[in-house]
Amino acid sequence: ENGTLERLQEIVRAVKAKGPLVQCLTNFVSMDFMANGLLALGAHPAMVHSVEELDVAISKVKAAGGAVSINIGTLDALWIESFKCAVKACNEHQVPWVLDPVAAGFTPLRTSVATELLEMGGCAVLRGNASEILSLSGADGAGKGVDSTKGSDGAVKAAKLLAAKYRCVVGISGAMDYVITPEGNQFSCEHGVAMLQKITAAGCLVSSIIAAFVAAKPAGFSNAEAALYAFTYFGICSEAASQSSNGPGSLRANLLDQLHGFDLEQLSNDD
């Protein structure tokens, strides 16, 4: 079972009605696209990353019923300190957090930092490409920088190991997206367009959208469903955006428009 149209519509309506606060600690490359993508979706981004204000900021995220998105893209010592401070605050305030382990496996530091954060506990969803997920499991991900050289289906076994070990949902992005629960249940999403690979920070945006869906999910929805429907909505919007796009530049702009205004009511259960 890979979800239903009715539940997709329900959670998207909830996200747009609630307008969840998503506190993003993210890399310099993705900041603009992530903030604008969340705004287009109907969420409210905050981009605080200073350790001097993170605990207060995350307490406000808790009060607002929001979530935190952590992205290790432009890594350095100060960012690492901020990530650890954020996870500590999330766990103390019981705020769900999503981790994007950008380019894990490309350098040992990236792999170790992502692993340290996961070992602090409390991660709601880990979202990466196949190379990143394989690397975090101890296998050779063979990533090319931030890009994956492996198919998403080749990382499912690794994702199941990570989901069980850290008791979190694991999402794998690719031509087919996969969502794995801590119990080993598997869901998939086939929506999306290949040209997304030509837009920097598209995956980063997906991770923050997953955080928004986790924060706004109605009663009865799991974190795995939130991740699945975030993948699905993003993929459907990218497909709609591609219909009037001539290349990556117009797809990027059209994707923001679709995240804002795509009408899920036009879909049928056959789509």
Side-chain angles (χ1 to χ4, degrees):
E1 175 61 63
N2 290 315
T4 67
L5 175 59
E6 290 75 19
R7 284 177 78 76
L8 172 64
Q9 291 169 330
E10 183 180 356
I11 194 169
V12 171
R13 282 195 295 265
V15 169
K16 292 183 180 294
K18 180 175 180 177
L21 176 61
V22 181
Q23 161 59 44
C24 305
L25 290 89
T26 193
N27 65 79
F28 299 119
V29 179
S30 70
M31 285 179 177
D32 172 83
F33 193 40
M34 185 178 290
N36 280 304
L38 286 170
L39 283 170
L41 177 69
H44 295 276
M47 314 304 281
V48 172
H49 63 262
S50 168
V51 293
E52 288 81 9
E53 58 178 347
L54 270 171
D55 187 71
V56 173
I58 290 173
S59 71
K60 292 180 182 293
V61 174
K62 171 63 175 180
V68 170
S69 177
I70 297 176
N71 175 301
I72 70 168
T74 45
L75 202 58
D76 64 21
L78 289 174
W79 275 114
I80 293 169
E81 186 180 2
S82 292
F83 298 148
K84 292 178 179 178
C85 179
V87 170
K88 181 173 182 287
C90 284
N91 291 341
E92 287 179 353
H93 295 292
Q94 297 184 302
V95 172
W97 57 279
V98 172
L99 177 64
D100 188 330
V102 178
F106 184 59
T107 65
L109 178 64
R110 292 179 172 279
T111 310
S112 65
V113 167
T115 299
E116 283 182 59
L117 296 176
L118 289 167
E119 288 178 348
M120 291 176 71
C123 181
V125 182
L126 166 67
R127 199 266 349 147
N129 61 36
S131 291
E132 292 159 350
I133 298 302
L134 284 163
S135 295
L136 288 178
S137 75
D140 180 11
K144 189 180 290 185
V146 300
D147 298 319
S148 180
T149 59
K150 305 285 188 178
S152 54
D153 56 344
V156 169
K157 183 178 178 181
K160 289 185 176 181
L161 291 172
L162 291 168
K165 180 176 183 179
Y166 296 114
R167 307 306 300 167
C168 67
V169 172
V170 178
I172 317 167
S173 292
M176 178 79 76
D177 301 319
Y178 292 96
V179 174
I180 310 297
T181 71
E183 298 75 31
N185 297 322
Q186 177 179 323
F187 307 93
S188 60
C189 165
E190 60 184 1
H191 292 285
V193 294
M195 199 184 293
L196 286 170
Q197 297 173 73
K198 301 296 184 184
I199 302 175
T200 191
C204 303
L205 175 56
V206 173
S207 294
S208 68
I209 288 175
I210 289 173
F213 274 61
V214 167
K217 67 184 192 297
F221 280 73
S222 65
N223 286 339
E225 285 181 290
L228 174 65
Y229 290 123
F231 274 133
T232 303
Y233 187 65
F234 185 85
I236 288 172
C237 287
S238 71
E239 290 168 350
S242 71
Q243 298 302 309
S244 55
S245 299
N246 297 315
S250 50
L251 178 61
R252 187 181 191 272
N254 291 334
L255 177 57
L256 293 178
D257 289 347
Q258 293 296 336
L259 287 169
H260 173 69
F262 185 82
D263 180 13
L264 280 169
E265 303 304 321
Q266 69 185 281
L267 296 177
S268 71
N269 282 300
D270 297 325
D271 289 314

